[in-house]
Amino acid sequence: MIDLSRRLTAEALGTGLLVATVVGSGIMAETLTTDVALALLANTIATGAILVVLISTLGPISGAHFNPAVSLIFALRRELPARDAGSYAVVQIIAGVMGAIVAHAMFDLPLLQASSKIRTGGAQWFSEGVAAFGLVAVILAGIRFERKAVPMLVGLYMTAAYWFTASTSFANPAVAIARSVTDTFSGIRPLDLPGFILAQLVGALVALALMSWLLRVPAGSALPINPEDPT
């Protein structure tokens, strides 16, 4: 296994670049157009694309979680030590905030801002639960059946989820926290964070429970469905 320091560096780099892309592309979109739908489309394409790149390049080092909810799931599956999962979450959150700061610096904006964008209510929270549920389900099924396709699967899922969820699919506590320090297109009020984060964690845990059953190899099977996965 690759040593923890390098895995944490990969998680920090990936999460920071992910947030810089989310925030930076939102700022660029708002600068170039007043059409909210077009701005969201630009934000979506950039986010989906960077996820494919980051997971493909950093996944072999750290697993490319970039998301405390995903790290929690792998800890519960006993594929990541609990202490390492805690360290992953800390660096993901710190790096996410740094990513927002980098995006602000690139566009000559105040480096730290308190977002004023209201994102709250039952529909938003439910959307975040659905978004995180789908993300974890895609990751676990992808690892089970099409491991090499996981970067594309996650990128495509998030591209779709930006549009089919009312919350535009944060699906990530670290990204949500980072987006609370930008008062730009992709921001969220700090006051609204607890509801989002709780919904994300619940959605991820529900996905773990369902997929653990759904992907289980039937008793007595000679071989697992995916011969590369002995579980």
Side-chain angles (χ1 to χ4, degrees):
M1 179 181 285
I2 294 174
D3 62 85
L4 181 59
S5 62
R6 286 193 290 165
R7 286 186 282 132
L8 292 179
T9 299
E11 284 296 303
L13 179 61
T15 310
L17 288 173
L18 172 60
V19 172
T21 301
V22 172
V23 175
S25 63
I27 297 170
M28 178 65 84
E30 276 193 318
T31 301
L32 297 178
T33 182
T34 57
D35 185 329
V36 177
L38 184 57
L40 180 61
L41 179 60
N43 196 212
T44 302
I45 293 171
T47 302
I50 200 64
L51 278 168
V52 174
V53 171
L54 293 175
I55 296 171
S56 297
T57 55
L58 298 176
I61 301 174
S62 67
H65 299 178
F66 315 142
N67 185 334
V70 172
S71 296
L72 171 64
I73 294 308
F74 280 95
L76 292 174
R77 283 165 57 91
R78 298 183 181 179
E79 295 177 20
L80 182 68
R83 181 176 296 179
D84 290 6
S87 298
Y88 270 40
V90 170
V91 300
Q92 289 157 359
I93 291 168
I94 294 172
V97 172
M98 292 303 299
I101 291 172
V102 167
H104 293 158
M106 289 191 291
F107 288 92
D108 197 25
L109 296 174
L111 298 184
L112 280 175
Q113 311 165 14
S115 179
S116 59
K117 193 154 193 174
I118 299 172
R119 298 181 190 264
T120 190
Q124 294 274 313
W125 300 331
F126 181 64
S127 293
E128 277 304 289
V130 170
F133 171 89
L135 175 62
V136 170
V138 165
I139 290 170
L140 295 181
I143 289 172
R144 182 72 168 81
F145 300 119
E146 291 290 344
R147 184 177 291 270
K148 292 181 180 178
V150 169
M152 187 65 71
L153 293 173
V154 172
L156 289 173
Y157 172 78
M158 290 303 296
T159 298
Y162 257 64
W163 287 87
F164 79 73
T165 63
S167 62
T168 67
S169 187
F170 289 42
N172 184 331
V175 170
I177 291 169
R179 289 170 69 164
S180 74
V181 300
T182 181
D183 197 21
T184 61
F185 182 78
S186 60
I188 176 175
R189 287 190 312 175
L191 181 65
D192 299 334
L193 281 177
F196 265 56
I197 292 172
L198 179 60
Q200 290 158 1
L201 294 175
V202 170
L205 291 171
V206 172
L208 173 63
L210 176 64
M211 299 308 285
S212 294
W213 169 77
L214 187 62
L215 301 176
R216 188 175 66 240
V217 178
S221 295
L223 288 172
I225 297 174
N226 179 359
E228 295 181 358
D229 186 349
T231 59

